Amino acid sequence: MEMKEVTLFETATKFGIFSIAKRKPTVFDAFLNLAHEVMHPESAFTPLIRELLGAYVSKQFGCSFCHFGHLETAFAIGGKEVRSLVDHPSEELKPIFALADKVVANAVTEEDILSFLNLGYTEKHYEDVVFVCALFGFANRMVTGFGIEYDAKRDEASSRFLAKGYRMKN
């Protein structure tokens, strides 16, 4: 049996997330459009909370690229004090992260939703948590599957760029 050479991880190291664009540009563009629709238009949550939720979910999924990248995006929106909120959530973030844990574990019950709503959140808040978790579930699996790790030197600028939106072109 002939040994094949795998260049996937070398490409990932060199180009980061853009290595996916090199492989499947239409999938990458569709992903960026979806990410933009989940993370930037009108929402029950601010863009900062959605970025922190994305960083939190990515940490739960074990995706360093998205975890650190979205912490940088949160930093671009909210300043350096927000960097610790994933590990030490504010009172506002605790129920959001707790619900996200249920969504990530595929363990949401009607009781969980009612408890969340009884805290003063709306069904729109719940919907936004689900969409952010779903988006990052896909993104984290895609990124880790292609061997992409966060590299501050390569990725900080693009992470901060995401604070303005995810679309690369209109």
Side-chain angles (χ1 to χ4, degrees):
M1 183 191 241
E2 181 182 334
M3 293 294 289
K4 297 202 178 218
E5 184 179 330
V6 178
T7 60
L8 182 71
F9 296 110
E10 290 172 20
T11 304
T13 300
K14 184 175 182 180
F15 296 105
I17 191 78
F18 297 104
S19 65
I20 297 167
K22 290 178 122 348
R23 291 184 170 283
K24 288 281 196 174
T26 56
V27 171
F28 189 70
D29 285 346
F31 168 71
L32 289 179
N33 285 330
L34 175 62
H36 184 84
E37 291 303 317
V38 170
M39 299 300 286
H40 277 272
E42 198 173 313
S43 170
F45 293 117
T46 65
L48 176 60
I49 289 177
R50 283 178 278 171
E51 290 297 338
L52 290 167
L53 180 56
Y56 176 80
V57 169
S58 296
K59 185 175 182 181
Q60 302 307 92
F61 278 124
C63 179
S64 71
F65 178 83
C66 293
H67 170 67
F68 291 119
H70 288 279
L71 277 181
E72 281 300 315
T73 305
F75 166 76
I77 296 169
K80 67 180 178 181
E81 61 275 355
V82 304
R83 282 194 173 140
S84 66
L85 290 175
V86 168
D87 291 326
H88 307 288
S90 64
E91 291 304 312
E92 178 186 16
L93 289 172
K94 285 179 183 178
I96 298 167
F97 288 177
L99 182 61
D101 286 337
K102 295 280 191 165
V103 173
V104 167
N106 296 319
V108 177
T109 65
E110 187 173 337
E111 184 178 304
D112 296 322
I113 298 168
L114 289 173
S115 293
F116 185 72
L117 297 176
N118 286 333
L119 293 172
Y121 293 100
T122 65
E123 287 187 16
K124 178 68 174 138
H125 287 103
Y126 174 74
E127 177 183 288
D128 287 350
V129 170
V130 172
F131 280 128
V132 171
C133 290
L135 172 70
F136 280 87
F138 176 80
N140 297 162
R141 296 306 179 249
M142 180 175 61
V143 167
T144 58
F146 283 110
I148 300 166
E149 295 288 332
Y150 187 76
D151 178 335
K153 191 174 185 179
R154 180 193 65 214
D155 299 321
E156 270 184 8
S158 61
S159 294
R160 290 180 184 161
F161 177 79
L162 293 180
K164 298 175 186 170
Y166 288 72
R167 289 193 175 117
M168 301 306 276
K169 55 187 172 187
N170 289 333

